[in-house]
């Protein structure tokens, strides 16, 4: 068999590849998509801000959101309709995707020619942080002043969408978006089960921990967790961390700003406690291989006593369990003290630097986060990020959740999601928590792993 | 009346040697004249296909190679870093582990199904069973189902309270119940077995096609010589389907190395990072972490690896023929 024709074919193929590569080499990736290099990434908003858009020229406002579920979708549709009625010159073109899809496609869309004007942009450094640093979204400070957003929203809410204009500092600096809803991670409990076991809603963290032992001894599963997808354990670790680590320190860790360490005493204690819970069998069997949705559904069907989860589950859990379910924010270490837990805001709305008319985009954001909008949100079963207590439902699980959020937001500390810290933190922390809870990592090794991610990012971010 | 009605002259190919018939006289003869007669025309016919191929395959490939030389977040202007991304692929223990996992999956996607497929195909072709078509369909069925659907189904089967554990408990094997998708040593193999389940059908059907062409006389002769079923299987069946074995290995090894949807849906790389695979890392880095250059480098390495392994498989298959 002669190999020379094949050799020639291969050589020709390589030649074509090389030629293609050379033809490409002329343009650097990003050169055609990155915002104009002459413009500073500070992306200065237009010099003059106009809040009255009723005489703006006829146009279409493209909005990308991830409000796909029942009540979320309904509020969005109602608000959009109201907006178009008030401003007949503006047509809203709404594009909805699931949260995961939006996160994946937005990055591509922003670098393309058909970027949306307004888009829900995750607060995390992997999203908003990178968009700020690359000048893909614009700071809204002038609009905040013109519309009085700093009065409408508390600082603790706004800090979740603040970045320095170079994207390096998270939690302070310019404002890059506004959220509609509030979120809080707390504890769902079966009222019937707690009653049968002769237990009351715990008032202190020590109470809560003791109860877990009592419940396990009684042959029930104390805590339900479906951690197959890795991120659910972050929401369990958050409240435990809140019991041992000062809120400001958690904030630095969550925002990925310098000044804190995962290897601190408090974080070690929290990791140790979580591992102890897992070792003591406080979680359902095989929690690391259990599906998130299947697990909270199992909880609604009577499995387990407690479920640590976010307020976003309240509508579904409430519908399934009715009056049998309650919700409380993680108890403080000292009775009566402010409670600390993971939570913050829903995904904020931001204005892209490709927005046709930033004034219209900002007016839209103002509209969907206004006081009237908050009422619509509450009516459709969502938890308004501000004036939560004023829109308190009459009864049921939603009432518990609203009260818990208001309590934490006003008297305690809502600390950021820990995966916001660095672009890789979601993966690092998710994997490390699975290993910690399976006993594959010691608490010290867990802290070292996560600290390495955090410290490397902080160092590279200077 | 060979070639009588102006039909093209029959050219028979045997053993890789082109035998020309005596009609050759009418064919345009030797290379130099042929070139002058047709000129660049043949390439003209190739051009449309080549353009499509270049646009949709060569250009993206070249672009991926180019991007792999940059540090790029997908948003702002990239910076040239040379081979740094490739150095990362080699030095990052987690990435090396991902490639290791892909190699383990080759066993489950390619080697194991080949073993099962050979036996199954031999049984199905040699035993004159009724309703052969039915069995063939059943065996092939997993191949038809989209991988995402397969993954969702198996995720439920493997769940802590899923069908597999329920079945084990029902037959009194409680001690064998496991957290199939949440166990640090077991999960990669559990996921691999899903791959075996999918691949076996394809391999079996391919091998059956090959085996059905083996002349019955060979088996008769072997039986007369006193060979048992195992002997005939090893001496006649297996050697005569060598070509099919090469094809099925090629297909299944590619499937194993580029596995993405299965991992993405069943474990998302977990528990810990025990089931991450290169394709999943490509996706994660490009779309979630904004490390597009690094993702491209992994993709290029993966492509080269797939190319090399399959080249080796085909070379070995050809040489032994």
């Amino acid at each position: 068999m002669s190999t020379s024709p094949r050799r020639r074919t291969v050589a020709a193929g390589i030649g074509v590849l090389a030629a293609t590569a050379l033809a490409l080499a002329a343009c650097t990736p990003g050169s055609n998509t990155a915002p104009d290099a002459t413009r500073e990434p500070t992306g200065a908003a237009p010099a003059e801000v106009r809040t009255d858009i009723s005489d703006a020229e006829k146009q279409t406002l493209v909005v990308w959101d991830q409000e796909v579920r029942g009540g979320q979708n309904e509020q969005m549709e109602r608000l959009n309709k109201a907006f178009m009625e008030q401003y007949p010159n503006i047509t809203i073109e709404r594009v909805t995707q699931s949260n995961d899809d939006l996160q994946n496609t937005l990055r591509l869309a922003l670098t393309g020619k058909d970027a949306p004007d307004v888009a829900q942009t995750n607060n995390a450094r992997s999203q908003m942080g990178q968009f700020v640093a690359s000048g893909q979204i614009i700071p809204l400070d002038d609009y905040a002043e013109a519309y009085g957003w700093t009065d409408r929203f508390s600082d603790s809410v706004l800090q979740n969408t603040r970045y320095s204009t170079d994207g390096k500092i998270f939690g302070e600096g310019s404002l890059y978006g506004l959220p509609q809803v509030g979120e809080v991670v707390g504890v769902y409990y079966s009222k019937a089960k707690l009653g049968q076991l002769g237990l009351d809603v715990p008032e202190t963290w020590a109470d809560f921990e003791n109860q877990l032992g009592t419940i396990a001894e009684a042959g029930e599963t104390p805590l339900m967790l479906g951690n197959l997808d890795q991120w659910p354990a972050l929401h369990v670790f958050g409240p435990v961390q809140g019991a041992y680590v000062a809120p400001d320190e958690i904030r630095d860790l969550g925002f990925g700003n310098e000044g804190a360490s995962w290897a601190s005493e408090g974080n070690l204690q929290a990791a140790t406690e979580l591992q102890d819970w897992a070792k003591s069998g406080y979680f359902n069997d095989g929690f690391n291989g259990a599906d998130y949705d299947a697990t909270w559904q199992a909880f609604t069907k009577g499995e387990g006593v407690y479920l640590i989860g976010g307020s976003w589950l309240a509508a579904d859990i409430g519908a399934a369990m009715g009056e049998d379910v309650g919700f409380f924010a993680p108890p403080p270490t000292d009775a009566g003290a402010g409670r600390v837990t993971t939570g913050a805001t829903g995904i904020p709305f931001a204005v892209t630097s490709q927005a046709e008319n930033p004034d219209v985009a900002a007016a839209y954001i103002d509209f969907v986060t206004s006081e009237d909008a908050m009422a619509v949100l509450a009516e459709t079963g969502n938890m308004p990020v501000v004036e939560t207590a004023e829109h308190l439902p009459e009864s049921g699980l939603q009432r518990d959740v609203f009260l818990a959020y208001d309590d934490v937001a006003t008297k305690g500390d809502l600390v950021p999601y820990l995966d916001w810290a660095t672009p890789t933190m979601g993966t690092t922390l998710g994997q490390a928590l699975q290993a910690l809870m399976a006993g594959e990592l010691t608490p010290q090794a867990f802290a070292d792993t996560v600290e390495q991610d955090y410290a490397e990012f902080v160092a590279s971010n200077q | 009346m060979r070639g009588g009605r102006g039909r093209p002259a029959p050219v028979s190919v045997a053993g890789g040697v082109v035998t020309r018939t005596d009609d050759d006289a009418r064919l345009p003869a030797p290379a130099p004249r042929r070139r002058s007669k047709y000129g660049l025309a043949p390439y003209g016919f190739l051009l449309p296909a080549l353009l499509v191929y270049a646009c949709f395959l060569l250009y993206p490939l070249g672009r991926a190679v180019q991007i792999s030389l940059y540090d790029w977040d997908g948003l702002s202007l990239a910076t040239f870093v040379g081979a740094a991304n490739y150095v990362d692929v080699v030095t990052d223990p987690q990435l090396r582990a991902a490639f290791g996992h892909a190699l383990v999956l080759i066993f489950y996607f390619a080697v194991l199904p080949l073993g099962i497929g050979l036996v199954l195909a031999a049984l199905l072709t040699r035993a004159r069973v009724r309703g052969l078509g039915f069995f063939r369909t059943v065996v092939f069925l997993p191949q038809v189902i989209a991988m995402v659907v397969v993954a969702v189904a198996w995720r439920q089967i493997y769940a802590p309270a899923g069908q597999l554990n329920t079945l084990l408990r029902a037959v009194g094997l409680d001690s064998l119940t496991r957290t199939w998708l949440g166990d640090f040593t077991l999960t990669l193999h559990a996921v691999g077995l899903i791959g075996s389940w999918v691949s076996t059908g394809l391999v079996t059907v391919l091998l059956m096609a090959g085996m059905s062409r083996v002349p019955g006389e060979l088996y008769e002769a072997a039986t007369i010589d006193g060979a048992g079923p195992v002997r005939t299987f090893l001496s006649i069946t297996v050697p005569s389907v060598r070509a099919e074995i090469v094809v099925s290995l090629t297909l299944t090894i590619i499937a194993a190395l580029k596995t993405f949807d299965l991992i993405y849906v069943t474990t998302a790389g977990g528990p810990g990072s025990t089931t991450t695979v290169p394709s999943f890392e490509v996706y994660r880095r490009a779309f979630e972490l904004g490390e597009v250059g690094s993702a491209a480098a992994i993709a290029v390495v993966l492509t080269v690896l797939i190319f090399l392994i399959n080249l080796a498989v085909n070379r070995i298959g050809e040489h032994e023929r």
Side-chain angles (χ1 to χ4, degrees):
Chain A
M1 187 182 76
S2 150
T3 51
S4 70
R6 176 173 292 174
R7 286 239 176 84
R8 249 184 276 135
T9 319
V10 172
I14 292 171
V16 171
L17 275 184
T20 319
L22 277 178
L24 289 164
C27 74
T28 306
S31 57
N32 57 336
T33 53
D36 195 344
T38 55
R39 199 178 66 201
E40 285 295 304
T42 47
E48 244 178 274
V49 161
R50 286 164 52 110
T51 53
D52 182 14
I53 58 159
S54 52
D55 57 350
E57 65 181 274
K58 205 165 167 55
Q59 58 188 287
T60 303
L61 183 76
V62 181
V63 180
W64 281 23
D65 67 60
Q66 49 90 48
E67 307 289 325
V68 286
R69 295 186 193 191
Q72 298 175 335
N73 185 45
E74 192 185 340
Q75 59 92 0
M76 210 68 232
E77 280 181 356
R78 275 173 62 176
L79 291 175
N80 282 350
K81 193 164 163 244
F83 183 83
M84 286 191 278
E85 271 165 18
Q86 188 169 339
Y87 302 106
N89 49 335
I90 316 286
T91 310
I92 293 173
E93 188 190 320
R94 183 179 177 220
V95 179
T96 54
Q97 303 170 69
S98 76
N99 186 18
D100 286 349
D101 289 344
L102 182 70
Q103 293 208 24
N104 289 337
T105 52
L106 187 56
R107 175 186 293 275
L108 294 172
L110 287 180
T111 55
K113 292 194 173 61
D114 295 316
D117 299 300
V118 174
Q120 273 189 301
T121 308
N122 194 314
N123 317 56
R125 279 190 185 265
S126 58
Q127 280 259 302
M128 189 175 271
Q130 289 189 350
F131 294 167
V132 168
S134 57
Q136 304 283 10
I137 57 176
I138 64 170
L140 304 173
D141 300 309
D142 295 338
Y143 295 108
E145 198 178 322
Y147 285 110
W149 289 342
T150 42
D151 298 328
R152 187 190 302 167
F153 291 85
S154 71
D155 287 344
S156 67
V157 168
L158 291 183
Q159 68 175 355
N160 294 306
T161 51
R162 283 190 191 281
Y163 275 94
S164 60
T165 45
D166 56 6
K168 286 188 189 291
I169 302 169
F170 184 6
E172 50 191 272
S174 288
L175 188 71
Y176 281 94
L178 281 187
Q180 284 184 304
V181 295
E183 287 178 2
V184 60
V185 173
V187 188
Y188 293 91
Y189 64 99
S190 160
K191 288 181 180 171
K193 290 235 171 131
L194 214 56
Q196 281 164 17
L197 292 160
L199 299 172
D200 292 320
V201 171
E203 288 298 319
T204 66
W205 188 257
D207 269 357
F208 181 59
E209 225 196 319
N210 289 335
Q211 284 191 3
L212 298 180
T214 313
I215 297 166
E217 274 166 35
E220 285 277 358
T221 305
L223 287 161
M224 295 296 285
L225 172 64
N227 196 31
L228 180 55
D229 292 306
Q230 302 186 333
W231 56 265
L234 267 71
H235 298 163
V236 178
F237 184 74
V240 181
Q241 188 187 33
Y244 293 100
V245 184
D248 283 340
E249 201 182 326
I250 300 178
R251 243 175 231 122
D252 279 334
L253 290 173
F255 284 148
N257 295 330
E258 63 173 326
S261 169
W262 274 95
S264 74
E265 190 55 35
N267 283 308
L268 270 179
Q269 283 176 328
T272 310
E273 171 152 337
L274 189 64
Q275 190 174 55
D276 286 345
W277 286 6
K279 276 186 187 162
S280 312
Y282 289 176
F283 293 101
N284 44 309
D285 278 343
F287 56 86
N288 264 342
D291 181 80
Y292 180 73
D293 287 320
T295 305
W296 69 252
Q297 281 156 10
F299 172 76
T300 64
K301 289 178 189 129
E303 255 182 72
V305 179
Y306 288 129
L307 170 82
I308 297 183
S311 49
W312 54 88
L313 290 176
D316 291 330
I317 291 183
M321 295 179 78
E323 289 297 315
D324 182 43
V325 62
F327 180 90
F328 59 85
T333 35
D334 300 314
R339 295 170 186 235
V340 183
T341 188
T342 308
T345 66
I347 299 184
F349 288 80
V351 179
T352 71
S353 52
Q354 290 189 51
E356 204 178 327
N357 185 338
D359 288 335
V360 173
Y364 176 77
I365 293 182
D366 179 68
F367 190 87
V368 296
T369 57
S370 64
E371 281 176 32
D372 293 342
M374 292 298 151
V376 173
L377 282 161
E379 278 171 34
T380 48
N382 301 282
M383 186 162 70
V385 64
V386 290
E387 299 169 345
T388 317
E390 283 176 33
H391 298 291
L392 206 57
E394 297 275 300
S395 65
L397 181 62
Q398 291 282 4
R399 186 182 171 87
D400 281 6
V401 174
F402 275 47
L403 282 173
Y405 175 78
D406 189 57
D407 182 47
V408 177
T410 53
K411 289 186 217 137
D413 283 276
L414 274 176
V415 290
Y417 293 97
L418 296 164
D419 55 328
W420 286 0
T422 77
T424 49
M425 188 54 91
T427 305
T428 305
L429 195 51
Q431 291 181 348
L433 279 171
Q434 268 188 335
L436 174 78
M437 295 172 78
E440 297 276 325
L441 280 181
T442 62
Q444 184 66 52
F446 162 81
D448 292 345
T449 308
V450 187
E451 170 65 13
Q452 192 189 352
D453 186 312
Y454 170 78
E456 268 177 17
F457 175 79
V458 167
S460 71
N461 199 30
Q462 292 310 306
Chain B
M1 53 173 272
R2 204 190 279 157
R5 287 183 212 136
R7 277 187 291 146
V11 174
S12 61
V13 180
V17 183
V18 178
T19 13
R20 288 172 180 249
T21 65
D22 40 18
D23 284 323
D24 280 358
R26 277 191 277 137
L27 287 173
R33 263 182 65 198
R34 184 183 292 179
R35 188 165 291 164
S36 65
K37 184 170 178 187
Y38 291 112
L40 290 173
Y43 296 99
F45 286 113
L46 271 179
L47 201 61
L50 196 65
L51 273 180
V52 173
Y53 185 67
C55 276
F56 293 101
L57 212 115
L58 294 182
Y59 175 76
L61 196 62
R63 188 89 173 131
V65 172
Q66 188 208 359
I67 290 174
S68 70
L69 302 175
Y70 285 83
D71 178 19
W72 189 34
D73 61 3
L75 291 166
S76 42
L77 200 64
T79 42
F80 188 79
V81 292
N85 287 324
Y86 290 95
V87 174
D88 269 356
V89 173
V90 183
T91 52
D92 185 340
Q94 197 161 341
L95 266 183
R96 278 211 308 264
F99 278 98
H101 299 154
L103 295 182
V104 173
L105 289 184
I106 290 183
F107 172 78
Y108 285 104
F109 273 71
V111 180
L112 191 60
L114 182 65
I116 302 173
L118 275 172
V119 175
L120 213 56
L123 286 176
L124 286 176
T125 31
R126 296 289 295 141
R128 303 255 168 257
V129 276
R130 266 172 183 278
L132 190 64
F134 172 75
F135 288 113
R136 207 189 286 242
T137 310
V138 168
V139 168
F140 194 67
L141 209 55
Q143 193 68 35
V144 181
I145 306 169
M147 197 53 136
V148 174
V149 180
V150 169
V152 170
W154 276 90
R155 187 168 149 141
Q156 288 179 10
I157 292 172
Y158 278 146
Q163 287 88 334
L164 183 56
N165 282 340
T166 311
L167 184 75
L168 287 173
R169 281 192 202 98
V171 295
L173 293 171
D174 295 53
S175 59
L176 288 184
T177 58
R178 292 280 185 283
T179 308
W180 301 101
L181 295 179
D183 186 295
F184 276 74
T185 50
L186 204 66
T187 300
L188 182 62
H189 304 284
V191 172
L193 279 174
I194 305 177
S196 307
W197 183 76
V198 172
S199 291
T200 302
L202 176 74
V203 174
T204 308
V205 170
L206 274 174
L207 292 175
M208 280 172 74
M211 287 177 193
S212 65
R213 282 202 322 269
V214 181
E217 292 83 5
L218 278 181
Y219 290 105
E220 273 170 36
T223 319
I224 291 166
D225 286 348
V230 176
R231 187 76 227 169
T232 25
F233 176 72
L234 291 178
S235 300
I236 298 177
T237 313
V238 175
S240 53
V241 292
R242 178 165 283 138
E244 283 76 14
I245 292 178
V246 171
V247 170
S248 57
L249 277 183
T250 307
L251 291 175
T252 49
I253 288 176
I254 292 177
L257 286 172
K258 62 179 198 183
T259 305
F260 166 75
D261 30 17
L262 184 64
I263 296 292
Y264 180 75
V265 176
T266 50
T267 63
S273 57
T274 53
T275 60
T276 55
V277 288
S279 309
F280 185 66
E281 283 295 321
V282 172
Y283 163 80
R284 180 143 70 195
R285 281 167 199 242
F287 294 105
E288 290 181 359
L289 309 183
E291 298 172 6
V292 185
S294 169
I298 302 170
V300 170
V301 172
L302 183 64
T303 308
V304 171
L305 193 69
I306 291 179
F307 184 75
L308 288 181
I309 291 183
N310 280 296
L311 199 65
V313 168
N314 282 283
R315 273 291 162 88
I316 293 168
E318 273 177 22
H319 274 273
E320 286 187 2
R321 189 174 292 169

